[in-house]
């Protein structure tokens, strides 16, 4: 079902949309705007999904087991040593 709407575009937006129709990429200005809105909807949904995933990760990390500063330091030193050995760098 289609709904008619009145919109305002800048001259630059109008020229761009019309060029897409004139070059045959889209059949009408409506098609151009529909595609643009569809892309914006997809982007918005993807950003919401990413935000939800980040919130879940942060919550899991905050509620999960904690690592002591000493254990963290030891882990970092082990990682640095492995990298040095892999790259054959003297420490």
């Amino acid at each position: 079902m289609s709904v008619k709407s009145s919109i305002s575009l800048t001259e630059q937006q109008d020229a761009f949309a019309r060029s897409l129709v004139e070059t045959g990429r889209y059949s009408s200005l409506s098609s151009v705007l529909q595609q643009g809105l569809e892309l914006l909807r997809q982007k918005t949904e993807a950003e919401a999904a990413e935000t939800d995933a980040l919130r879940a990760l942060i919550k899991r990390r905050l509620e999960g087991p904690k690592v002591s500063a000493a254990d963290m330091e030891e882990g970092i030193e082990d990682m640095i040593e492995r990298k040095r050995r892999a790259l054959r760098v003297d420490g």
Side-chain angles (χ1 to χ4, degrees):
M1 178 175 134
S2 294
V3 176
K4 291 199 178 248
S5 293
S6 174
I7 63 164
S8 296
L9 300 174
T10 65
E11 287 181 17
Q12 186 178 23
Q13 291 168 332
D14 183 64
F16 177 67
R18 288 184 188 282
S19 74
L20 293 173
V21 174
E22 289 168 5
T23 59
R25 290 196 59 192
Y26 293 90
S27 60
S28 66
L29 290 176
S30 290
S31 296
V32 173
L33 295 175
Q34 288 168 354
Q35 180 66 32
L37 286 172
E38 179 61 21
L39 290 171
L40 182 58
R41 183 191 63 77
Q42 291 172 4
K43 179 181 180 230
T44 301
E45 288 177 359
E47 288 172 349
E50 288 176 13
T51 299
D52 290 345
L54 286 171
R55 284 189 177 121
L57 177 61
I58 290 168
K59 181 179 178 185
R60 191 172 67 219
R61 293 284 173 96
L62 288 173
E63 294 173 352
K66 307 295 185 251
V67 177
S68 70
D71 288 344
M72 181 63 73
E73 183 70 27
E74 182 180 334
I76 292 170
E77 291 300 324
D78 288 345
M79 180 183 66
I80 292 170
E81 184 56 35
R82 285 193 309 272
K83 291 292 182 183
R84 283 185 177 145
R85 281 194 305 263
L87 297 172
R88 294 183 166 89
V89 175
D90 292 330

